[in-house]
Amino acid sequence: MTKLHIFDMDGTLLRGAASVELSRHLGRFEEANAVEEAWLRGEVGEVRFWELVLPLWDGVSEDEIDRAFEACPWIDGVAEVFADIDARGEHSAVISQSPLFFVRRLRRWGAGAVFGAGVEPGGRAGEDLLLTVDDKVSITEQLVAERGLTHDDCVAYGDSTSDVGLFGRLRRTVAVNGTPLLRGLAAAVYDGPDLREAYAIGRDLLAGSVLSSPERS
């Protein structure tokens, strides 16, 4: 039986948020960062967040998005981890609340299934386009069923509140540079700059290794 590795993107694979990094590349960093900080403080909801951010990207070209993607501060070893998963005949998935048009570019680095919000530059915002905390769980359950796996065949890697539901559902979880809340839910913790090291911990969990403490880095 094979395995499934589920990754968050913002804060886990990407050091920061895709919405801010794309805006930075387009010269709209200050506006996007202000919206991001307001969202983190709970001052704007999900729909309002995109109502404010999407106009900042109106008219952006695919080439500009490509250049922003390449310029982002990715954690080290992303492509190498995806390649190792594939070489073992295992599955990877990236499930993010960031826009799918950005997340899907990770396929170029070997990511398997990719999921994200259905918003588009300059387009509308709406509840029907968003990907929620609960969606992360339901998407994972669908992937598990389609591949004939069990929860014990899965390991999830995440960093923050968007991963809480999934970390509550799965036993094999790695908090990658995680928030205090997620660290408390995780089976193991990794702090550092290299996804390959977090992935090694995930492989230990899949092999049934027992860690004496969740604090491992």
Side-chain angles (χ1 to χ4, degrees):
M1 185 174 287
T2 187
K3 307 297 182 185
L4 172 62
H5 300 259
I6 306 146
F7 298 91
D8 174 56
M9 188 178 73
D10 291 8
T12 303
L13 303 182
L14 175 62
R15 300 183 183 103
S19 61
V20 174
E21 295 305 322
L22 176 55
S23 299
R24 186 197 306 276
H25 187 79
L26 299 175
R28 309 298 297 270
F29 169 77
E30 295 296 338
E31 300 101 307
N33 193 55
V35 178
E36 178 77 10
E37 291 183 349
W39 177 76
L40 290 172
R41 293 192 298 267
E43 295 171 4
V44 299
E46 294 286 346
V47 173
R48 184 57 179 160
F49 176 92
W50 292 115
E51 287 175 344
L52 294 170
V53 169
L54 292 177
L56 302 179
W57 306 336
D58 193 17
V60 65
S61 69
E62 290 295 314
D63 286 345
E64 286 175 309
I65 299 172
D66 285 343
R67 289 194 291 272
F69 177 87
E70 294 290 342
C72 279
W74 299 99
I75 192 171
D76 295 343
V78 174
E80 290 85 351
V81 167
F82 287 143
D84 188 77
I85 293 169
D86 184 64
R88 294 171 184 266
E90 298 177 355
H91 306 285
S92 64
V94 180
I95 309 175
S96 173
Q97 292 180 304
S98 281
L100 179 59
F101 72 79
F102 199 89
V103 182
R104 69 186 176 212
R105 283 167 161 78
L106 286 167
R107 287 178 174 162
R108 302 173 184 179
W109 293 354
V114 293
F115 303 87
V119 295
E120 294 288 341
R124 73 176 182 88
E127 292 284 352
D128 59 311
L129 299 175
L130 305 185
L131 191 150
T132 68
V133 173
D134 291 338
D135 288 333
K136 280 198 170 188
V137 176
S138 61
I139 290 168
T140 297
E141 295 289 8
Q142 180 180 352
L143 292 172
V144 168
E146 289 174 349
R147 288 155 177 75
L149 304 175
T150 71
H151 286 179
D152 284 342
D153 299 314
C154 305
V155 58
Y157 308 80
D159 75 300
S160 63
T161 53
S162 71
D163 306 296
V164 166
L166 190 54
F167 274 47
R169 183 65 60 92
L170 300 179
R171 290 199 305 141
R172 291 167 168 80
T173 55
V174 183
V176 181
N177 300 312
T179 61
L181 173 61
L182 204 70
R183 296 166 79 93
L185 295 173
V189 169
Y190 171 73
D191 293 308
D194 200 316
L195 186 65
R196 288 164 291 198
E197 296 174 356
Y199 171 63
I201 296 173
R203 297 220 67 89
D204 284 348
L205 294 174
L206 286 171
S209 300
V210 178
L211 304 179
S212 59
S213 167
E215 296 291 332
R216 174 175 173 174
S217 61

